[in-house]
Amino acid sequence: MSTNSKTRIYTEESEQSRHTQKKPSFYIKTFGCQMNKNDSSIITAILENNDYKCIQDPCCADIYIINTCSVREHAERRALGHISSLKKWADKPDRKVVVVGCMAKRIADDIAIRFPFVDLLLGPDSYRKIAEFLDQIFDTKTRIIETKLSDEVYGDIFPNRSGITDFVSIMRGCDNFCTYCIVPYVRGRVRSRPALEIMSEIQNMARSDIKDITLLGQNVNAYSYGNVDFSGLLNMVSQTPGLVRLRFLTSHPKDLDETTINAVKENDKICEWFHLPLQSGCDRILRLMNRKYTKKYFQELVQRIRQNIPDATITTDIIVGFPSETEEEFQETIGMMTEIEFDNAYLYRYSPRQGTQAFKYESLSEQVIKDRLKRIISIQNTITVNKARQMLGQKYEVLFEGPARHNATRGKTRGNIEVIVDKEIAPGVLSDMIIKEVRGRTLIAEFVK
Ligand code: SF4
């Protein structure tokens, strides 16, 4: 995809008058995962550094930015529907519509043809130039499309952070090419952010009210910068004064090694929570998915974690209905779920993504996929509720994050399990709590007397 911009030659005068004008305001709507939310914070920081103003009400904004996701067809359909709904919004003079993110990278040409009112399309590696492009678009009324991949990590961009918990991106891209996944195509090869820049950002965050920080990457275990690997980074970051809790997301089971398990075991600030996407409990399907581990390897990994850290929380992602998955193979996945008893699981139906290897495989029928998803959701619900009941009467350290419903406050255990307390508590309070009730899937806690 090439940049389709008319080049404008700036004179000193035009530059000066542009800088004395009040810069337009922008609103960002974000679809998709935590990486995308983090990218929206990066975009906001870049635009604010260039005097554009972020506002929360799209009706009053001059620029409407949609940060899109391509991981599942459903996410793309929602984003496309949202772009379509902006036709009327874009009718007013001097309003600009910007589409960024994975879908902008994947199908920029289609979006440009289908939605002539979209002024700027940027892939995930082109945000650094967003202010410059917007300046051009306001001046020249041209459309710009820029979706080239690069080695960009936005290392020096420190978004404005607030709240009690937040995320810090430590790397971008992925080299694993799981056959169902679009990420390596739309976010490029894996590259790590310099450790010192991560440290500086985390030190700034810890000086504010942020107490619980999650290190973020598609496969954090592949982090490598100079001579710092992922466990080295964990140990470095956990020394940050003021930081209370440190987490990481997402681990690829094939790359989660002893050094990381030991870092979690030995370091009080690193929370005992492992998000380990299983995806399937059947070796043939794991091979077809190119996951590079077996069912036995995964079982042993979970065993190693539990032997070293008995109270670890283990959560997972599972895809049902991968092409050619038989009922027996699906039963193997159920077997792994009931054997391991994940504390929580994100369960998805297989979604074919054009451009991936698995897109060439013949899909199972809609009815079979729907039925398997329904069954697996019901099984995990039972496991999650049973796990919640096992927590009754036990003591957990809870960090309170903010209001839940009327007069109640929500917080998280070190294992990332949400609990509710039926009273108002200031965000940031850290306290030992006893689980006194399970309402549905919700854990109700009270202070230790
Ligand atoms: S590890 Fe696999 S599923 Fe995860 S982002 Fe990389 S290719 Fe996608």
Side-chain angles (χ1 to χ4, degrees), residues 30 33 35 98 140 153 155 193 210 235 287 300 347 373 388 401 408 415 426:
T30 308
C33 66
M35 283 298 278
V98 180
T140 62
V153 288
R193 189 178 174 194
I210 301 167
N235 286 323
R287 260 194 319 277
E300 286 171 358
L347 308 168
L373 185 62
E401 294 179 6

mmCIF file with all atom_site columns, all heavy atoms in Angstrom, residues 30 33 35 98 140 153 155 193 210 235 287 300 347 373 388 401 408 415 426:
data_model
loop_
_atom_site.group_PDB
_atom_site.id
_atom_site.type_symbol
_atom_site.label_atom_id
_atom_site.label_alt_id
_atom_site.label_comp_id
_atom_site.label_asym_id
_atom_site.label_entity_id
_atom_site.label_seq_id
_atom_site.pdbx_PDB_ins_code
_atom_site.Cartn_x
_atom_site.Cartn_y
_atom_site.Cartn_z
_atom_site.occupancy
_atom_site.B_iso_or_equiv
_atom_site.pdbx_formal_charge
_atom_site.auth_seq_id
_atom_site.auth_comp_id
_atom_site.auth_asym_id
_atom_site.auth_atom_id
_atom_site.pdbx_PDB_model_num
ATOM 1   N N   . THR A 1 30  ? -12.254 2.961   20.418 1.00 0.00 ? 30  THR A N   1
ATOM 2   C CA  . THR A 1 30  ? -11.321 1.829   20.296 1.00 0.00 ? 30  THR A CA  1
ATOM 3   C C   . THR A 1 30  ? -12.064 0.498   20.281 1.00 0.00 ? 30  THR A C   1
ATOM 4   O O   . THR A 1 30  ? -12.880 0.232   21.164 1.00 0.00 ? 30  THR A O   1
ATOM 5   C CB  . THR A 1 30  ? -10.320 1.831   21.473 1.00 0.00 ? 30  THR A CB  1
ATOM 6   O OG1 . THR A 1 30  ? -9.735  3.128   21.548 1.00 0.00 ? 30  THR A OG1 1
ATOM 7   C CG2 . THR A 1 30  ? -9.234  0.780   21.297 1.00 0.00 ? 30  THR A CG2 1
ATOM 8   N N   . CYS A 1 33  ? -8.447  -5.472  21.487 1.00 0.00 ? 33  CYS A N   1
ATOM 9   C CA  . CYS A 1 33  ? -7.725  -5.953  22.673 1.00 0.00 ? 33  CYS A CA  1
ATOM 10  C C   . CYS A 1 33  ? -7.023  -4.834  23.429 1.00 0.00 ? 33  CYS A C   1
ATOM 11  O O   . CYS A 1 33  ? -7.048  -3.671  23.037 1.00 0.00 ? 33  CYS A O   1
ATOM 12  C CB  . CYS A 1 33  ? -6.684  -6.973  22.218 1.00 0.00 ? 33  CYS A CB  1
ATOM 13  S SG  . CYS A 1 33  ? -5.411  -6.213  21.193 1.00 0.00 ? 33  CYS A SG  1
ATOM 14  N N   . MET A 1 35  ? -3.893  -4.320  23.578 1.00 0.00 ? 35  MET A N   1
ATOM 15  C CA  . MET A 1 35  ? -2.845  -3.690  22.756 1.00 0.00 ? 35  MET A CA  1
ATOM 16  C C   . MET A 1 35  ? -3.427  -2.490  22.017 1.00 0.00 ? 35  MET A C   1
ATOM 17  O O   . MET A 1 35  ? -2.784  -1.460  21.873 1.00 0.00 ? 35  MET A O   1
ATOM 18  C CB  . MET A 1 35  ? -2.299  -4.680  21.711 1.00 0.00 ? 35  MET A CB  1
ATOM 19  C CG  . MET A 1 35  ? -1.357  -5.712  22.226 1.00 0.00 ? 35  MET A CG  1
ATOM 20  S SD  . MET A 1 35  ? 0.159   -5.058  22.935 1.00 0.00 ? 35  MET A SD  1
ATOM 21  C CE  . MET A 1 35  ? 1.162   -4.770  21.503 1.00 0.00 ? 35  MET A CE  1
ATOM 22  N N   . VAL A 1 98  ? -10.885 9.354   10.693 1.00 0.00 ? 98  VAL A N   1
ATOM 23  C CA  . VAL A 1 98  ? -9.602  8.649   10.623 1.00 0.00 ? 98  VAL A CA  1
ATOM 24  C C   . VAL A 1 98  ? -9.826  7.197   11.040 1.00 0.00 ? 98  VAL A C   1
ATOM 25  O O   . VAL A 1 98  ? -10.426 6.944   12.085 1.00 0.00 ? 98  VAL A O   1
ATOM 26  C CB  . VAL A 1 98  ? -8.584  9.310   11.590 1.00 0.00 ? 98  VAL A CB  1
ATOM 27  C CG1 . VAL A 1 98  ? -7.241  8.582   11.540 1.00 0.00 ? 98  VAL A CG1 1
ATOM 28  C CG2 . VAL A 1 98  ? -8.412  10.793  11.269 1.00 0.00 ? 98  VAL A CG2 1
ATOM 29  N N   . THR A 1 140 ? -4.948  20.704  2.902  1.00 0.00 ? 140 THR A N   1
ATOM 30  C CA  . THR A 1 140 ? -5.044  20.427  1.462  1.00 0.00 ? 140 THR A CA  1
ATOM 31  C C   . THR A 1 140 ? -6.268  19.620  1.062  1.00 0.00 ? 140 THR A C   1
ATOM 32  O O   . THR A 1 140 ? -6.496  19.409  -0.120 1.00 0.00 ? 140 THR A O   1
ATOM 33  C CB  . THR A 1 140 ? -3.802  19.634  0.992  1.00 0.00 ? 140 THR A CB  1
ATOM 34  O OG1 . THR A 1 140 ? -3.804  18.388  1.691  1.00 0.00 ? 140 THR A OG1 1
ATOM 35  C CG2 . THR A 1 140 ? -2.515  20.370  1.286  1.00 0.00 ? 140 THR A CG2 1
ATOM 36  N N   . VAL A 1 153 ? 8.446   0.885   17.666 1.00 0.00 ? 153 VAL A N   1
ATOM 37  C CA  . VAL A 1 153 ? 7.975   0.394   18.966 1.00 0.00 ? 153 VAL A CA  1
ATOM 38  C C   . VAL A 1 153 ? 7.413   1.538   19.831 1.00 0.00 ? 153 VAL A C   1
ATOM 39  O O   . VAL A 1 153 ? 6.983   1.304   20.951 1.00 0.00 ? 153 VAL A O   1
ATOM 40  C CB  . VAL A 1 153 ? 9.075   -0.350  19.768 1.00 0.00 ? 153 VAL A CB  1
ATOM 41  C CG1 . VAL A 1 153 ? 9.387   -1.699  19.166 1.00 0.00 ? 153 VAL A CG1 1
ATOM 42  C CG2 . VAL A 1 153 ? 10.327  0.491   19.914 1.00 0.00 ? 153 VAL A CG2 1
ATOM 43  N N   . GLY A 1 155 ? 8.899   3.624   21.512 1.00 0.00 ? 155 GLY A N   1
ATOM 44  C CA  . GLY A 1 155 ? 9.585   3.512   22.803 1.00 0.00 ? 155 GLY A CA  1
ATOM 45  C C   . GLY A 1 155 ? 9.605   4.795   23.600 1.00 0.00 ? 155 GLY A C   1
ATOM 46  O O   . GLY A 1 155 ? 9.530   4.780   24.825 1.00 0.00 ? 155 GLY A O   1
ATOM 47  N N   . ARG A 1 193 ? 10.802  -3.272  22.907 1.00 0.00 ? 193 ARG A N   1
ATOM 48  C CA  . ARG A 1 193 ? 11.049  -1.868  23.271 1.00 0.00 ? 193 ARG A CA  1
ATOM 49  C C   . ARG A 1 193 ? 12.263  -1.822  24.207 1.00 0.00 ? 193 ARG A C   1
ATOM 50  O O   . ARG A 1 193 ? 12.406  -2.703  25.070 1.00 0.00 ? 193 ARG A O   1
ATOM 51  C CB  . ARG A 1 193 ? 9.799   -1.376  24.003 1.00 0.00 ? 193 ARG A CB  1
ATOM 52  C CG  . ARG A 1 193 ? 9.744   0.076   24.292 1.00 0.00 ? 193 ARG A CG  1
ATOM 53  C CD  . ARG A 1 193 ? 8.411   0.383   24.986 1.00 0.00 ? 193 ARG A CD  1
ATOM 54  N NE  . ARG A 1 193 ? 8.400   1.752   25.405 1.00 0.00 ? 193 ARG A NE  1
ATOM 55  C CZ  . ARG A 1 193 ? 7.527   2.264   26.262 1.00 0.00 ? 193 ARG A CZ  1
ATOM 56  N NH1 . ARG A 1 193 ? 6.585   1.498   26.769 1.00 0.00 ? 193 ARG A NH1 1
ATOM 57  N NH2 . ARG A 1 193 ? 7.595   3.525   26.597 1.00 0.00 ? 193 ARG A NH2 1
ATOM 58  N N   . ILE A 1 210 ? -0.810  5.066   40.030 1.00 0.00 ? 210 ILE A N   1
ATOM 59  C CA  . ILE A 1 210 ? -0.945  3.730   39.427 1.00 0.00 ? 210 ILE A CA  1
ATOM 60  C C   . ILE A 1 210 ? -0.172  2.704   40.256 1.00 0.00 ? 210 ILE A C   1
ATOM 61  O O   . ILE A 1 210 ? 1.028   2.857   40.485 1.00 0.00 ? 210 ILE A O   1
ATOM 62  C CB  . ILE A 1 210 ? -0.458  3.743   37.969 1.00 0.00 ? 210 ILE A CB  1
ATOM 63  C CG1 . ILE A 1 210 ? -1.293  4.757   37.182 1.00 0.00 ? 210 ILE A CG1 1
ATOM 64  C CG2 . ILE A 1 210 ? -0.558  2.353   37.345 1.00 0.00 ? 210 ILE A CG2 1
ATOM 65  C CD1 . ILE A 1 210 ? -0.753  5.099   35.832 1.00 0.00 ? 210 ILE A CD1 1
ATOM 66  N N   . ASN A 1 235 ? 12.388  -8.780  36.635 1.00 0.00 ? 235 ASN A N   1
ATOM 67  C CA  . ASN A 1 235 ? 13.145  -8.516  37.861 1.00 0.00 ? 235 ASN A CA  1
ATOM 68  C C   . ASN A 1 235 ? 13.558  -7.053  37.961 1.00 0.00 ? 235 ASN A C   1
ATOM 69  O O   . ASN A 1 235 ? 13.499  -6.460  39.032 1.00 0.00 ? 235 ASN A O   1
ATOM 70  C CB  . ASN A 1 235 ? 14.367  -9.443  37.935 1.00 0.00 ? 235 ASN A CB  1
ATOM 71  C CG  . ASN A 1 235 ? 13.928  -10.872 38.280 1.00 0.00 ? 235 ASN A CG  1
ATOM 72  O OD1 . ASN A 1 235 ? 13.000  -11.078 39.059 1.00 0.00 ? 235 ASN A OD1 1
ATOM 73  N ND2 . ASN A 1 235 ? 14.563  -11.857 37.667 1.00 0.00 ? 235 ASN A ND2 1
ATOM 74  N N   . ARG A 1 287 ? -1.157  -29.071 16.182 1.00 0.00 ? 287 ARG A N   1
ATOM 75  C CA  . ARG A 1 287 ? -0.202  -29.083 15.057 1.00 0.00 ? 287 ARG A CA  1
ATOM 76  C C   . ARG A 1 287 ? -0.756  -28.276 13.897 1.00 0.00 ? 287 ARG A C   1
ATOM 77  O O   . ARG A 1 287 ? -0.067  -27.453 13.309 1.00 0.00 ? 287 ARG A O   1
ATOM 78  C CB  . ARG A 1 287 ? 0.064   -30.519 14.599 1.00 0.00 ? 287 ARG A CB  1
ATOM 79  C CG  . ARG A 1 287 ? 1.356   -31.082 15.123 1.00 0.00 ? 287 ARG A CG  1
ATOM 80  C CD  . ARG A 1 287 ? 1.798   -32.355 14.416 1.00 0.00 ? 287 ARG A CD  1
ATOM 81  N NE  . ARG A 1 287 ? 0.749   -33.305 14.110 1.00 0.00 ? 287 ARG A NE  1
ATOM 82  C CZ  . ARG A 1 287 ? 0.262   -34.206 14.958 1.00 0.00 ? 287 ARG A CZ  1
ATOM 83  N NH1 . ARG A 1 287 ? 0.737   -34.292 16.195 1.00 0.00 ? 287 ARG A NH1 1
ATOM 84  N NH2 . ARG A 1 287 ? -0.695  -35.030 14.596 1.00 0.00 ? 287 ARG A NH2 1
ATOM 85  N N   . GLU A 1 300 ? 2.306   -30.555 31.663 1.00 0.00 ? 300 GLU A N   1
ATOM 86  C CA  . GLU A 1 300 ? 3.512   -30.497 32.512 1.00 0.00 ? 300 GLU A CA  1
ATOM 87  C C   . GLU A 1 300 ? 3.848   -29.068 32.912 1.00 0.00 ? 300 GLU A C   1
ATOM 88  O O   . GLU A 1 300 ? 4.316   -28.810 34.022 1.00 0.00 ? 300 GLU A O   1
ATOM 89  C CB  . GLU A 1 300 ? 4.695   -31.146 31.780 1.00 0.00 ? 300 GLU A CB  1
ATOM 90  C CG  . GLU A 1 300 ? 4.551   -32.661 31.749 1.00 0.00 ? 300 GLU A CG  1
ATOM 91  C CD  . GLU A 1 300 ? 5.562   -33.367 30.857 1.00 0.00 ? 300 GLU A CD  1
ATOM 92  O OE1 . GLU A 1 300 ? 6.393   -32.690 30.210 1.00 0.00 ? 300 GLU A OE1 1
ATOM 93  O OE2 . GLU A 1 300 ? 5.499   -34.609 30.787 1.00 0.00 ? 300 GLU A OE2 1
ATOM 94  N N   . LEU A 1 347 ? -13.437 -17.995 25.683 1.00 0.00 ? 347 LEU A N   1
ATOM 95  C CA  . LEU A 1 347 ? -13.795 -19.068 24.754 1.00 0.00 ? 347 LEU A CA  1
ATOM 96  C C   . LEU A 1 347 ? -14.312 -18.457 23.453 1.00 0.00 ? 347 LEU A C   1
ATOM 97  O O   . LEU A 1 347 ? -15.206 -17.609 23.478 1.00 0.00 ? 347 LEU A O   1
ATOM 98  C CB  . LEU A 1 347 ? -14.869 -19.945 25.396 1.00 0.00 ? 347 LEU A CB  1
ATOM 99  C CG  . LEU A 1 347 ? -14.486 -20.446 26.797 1.00 0.00 ? 347 LEU A CG  1
ATOM 100 C CD1 . LEU A 1 347 ? -15.672 -21.057 27.504 1.00 0.00 ? 347 LEU A CD1 1
ATOM 101 C CD2 . LEU A 1 347 ? -13.345 -21.456 26.697 1.00 0.00 ? 347 LEU A CD2 1
ATOM 102 N N   . LEU A 1 373 ? -19.430 -24.346 21.063 1.00 0.00 ? 373 LEU A N   1
ATOM 103 C CA  . LEU A 1 373 ? -19.162 -23.146 21.874 1.00 0.00 ? 373 LEU A CA  1
ATOM 104 C C   . LEU A 1 373 ? -20.102 -23.096 23.078 1.00 0.00 ? 373 LEU A C   1
ATOM 105 O O   . LEU A 1 373 ? -19.677 -22.842 24.206 1.00 0.00 ? 373 LEU A O   1
ATOM 106 C CB  . LEU A 1 373 ? -19.307 -21.874 21.012 1.00 0.00 ? 373 LEU A CB  1
ATOM 107 C CG  . LEU A 1 373 ? -18.946 -20.571 21.715 1.00 0.00 ? 373 LEU A CG  1
ATOM 108 C CD1 . LEU A 1 373 ? -17.479 -20.561 22.160 1.00 0.00 ? 373 LEU A CD1 1
ATOM 109 C CD2 . LEU A 1 373 ? -19.190 -19.367 20.804 1.00 0.00 ? 373 LEU A CD2 1
ATOM 110 N N   . ALA A 1 388 ? -14.733 -20.432 42.491 1.00 0.00 ? 388 ALA A N   1
ATOM 111 C CA  . ALA A 1 388 ? -15.139 -19.301 43.344 1.00 0.00 ? 388 ALA A CA  1
ATOM 112 C C   . ALA A 1 388 ? -15.573 -19.829 44.712 1.00 0.00 ? 388 ALA A C   1
ATOM 113 O O   . ALA A 1 388 ? -15.202 -19.276 45.755 1.00 0.00 ? 388 ALA A O   1
ATOM 114 C CB  . ALA A 1 388 ? -16.256 -18.517 42.667 1.00 0.00 ? 388 ALA A CB  1
ATOM 115 N N   . GLU A 1 401 ? -10.176 -0.797  42.979 1.00 0.00 ? 401 GLU A N   1
ATOM 116 C CA  . GLU A 1 401 ? -9.960  -0.043  41.737 1.00 0.00 ? 401 GLU A CA  1
ATOM 117 C C   . GLU A 1 401 ? -10.993 1.035   41.489 1.00 0.00 ? 401 GLU A C   1
ATOM 118 O O   . GLU A 1 401 ? -10.716 2.034   40.832 1.00 0.00 ? 401 GLU A O   1
ATOM 119 C CB  . GLU A 1 401 ? -9.946  -1.010  40.544 1.00 0.00 ? 401 GLU A CB  1
ATOM 120 C CG  . GLU A 1 401 ? -8.772  -1.954  40.593 1.00 0.00 ? 401 GLU A CG  1
ATOM 121 C CD  . GLU A 1 401 ? -8.746  -2.932  39.428 1.00 0.00 ? 401 GLU A CD  1
ATOM 122 O OE1 . GLU A 1 401 ? -9.575  -2.812  38.509 1.00 0.00 ? 401 GLU A OE1 1
ATOM 123 O OE2 . GLU A 1 401 ? -7.894  -3.837  39.464 1.00 0.00 ? 401 GLU A OE2 1
ATOM 124 N N   . ALA A 1 408 ? -21.100 0.140   46.252 1.00 0.00 ? 408 ALA A N   1
ATOM 125 C CA  . ALA A 1 408 ? -20.177 -0.998  46.304 1.00 0.00 ? 408 ALA A CA  1
ATOM 126 C C   . ALA A 1 408 ? -18.881 -0.635  45.568 1.00 0.00 ? 408 ALA A C   1
ATOM 127 O O   . ALA A 1 408 ? -18.848 0.317   44.780 1.00 0.00 ? 408 ALA A O   1
ATOM 128 C CB  . ALA A 1 408 ? -20.807 -2.226  45.666 1.00 0.00 ? 408 ALA A CB  1
ATOM 129 N N   . GLY A 1 415 ? -4.359  -12.723 41.990 1.00 0.00 ? 415 GLY A N   1
ATOM 130 C CA  . GLY A 1 415 ? -4.610  -13.646 40.879 1.00 0.00 ? 415 GLY A CA  1
ATOM 131 C C   . GLY A 1 415 ? -5.538  -13.085 39.821 1.00 0.00 ? 415 GLY A C   1
ATOM 132 O O   . GLY A 1 415 ? -6.027  -13.828 38.969 1.00 0.00 ? 415 GLY A O   1
ATOM 133 N N   . ALA A 1 426 ? -12.053 3.905   48.913 1.00 0.00 ? 426 ALA A N   1
ATOM 134 C CA  . ALA A 1 426 ? -11.276 4.749   47.981 1.00 0.00 ? 426 ALA A CA  1
ATOM 135 C C   . ALA A 1 426 ? -10.436 3.874   47.054 1.00 0.00 ? 426 ALA A C   1
ATOM 136 O O   . ALA A 1 426 ? -9.804  2.900   47.519 1.00 0.00 ? 426 ALA A O   1
ATOM 137 C CB  . ALA A 1 426 ? -10.375 5.674   48.780 1.00 0.00 ? 426 ALA A CB  1
#
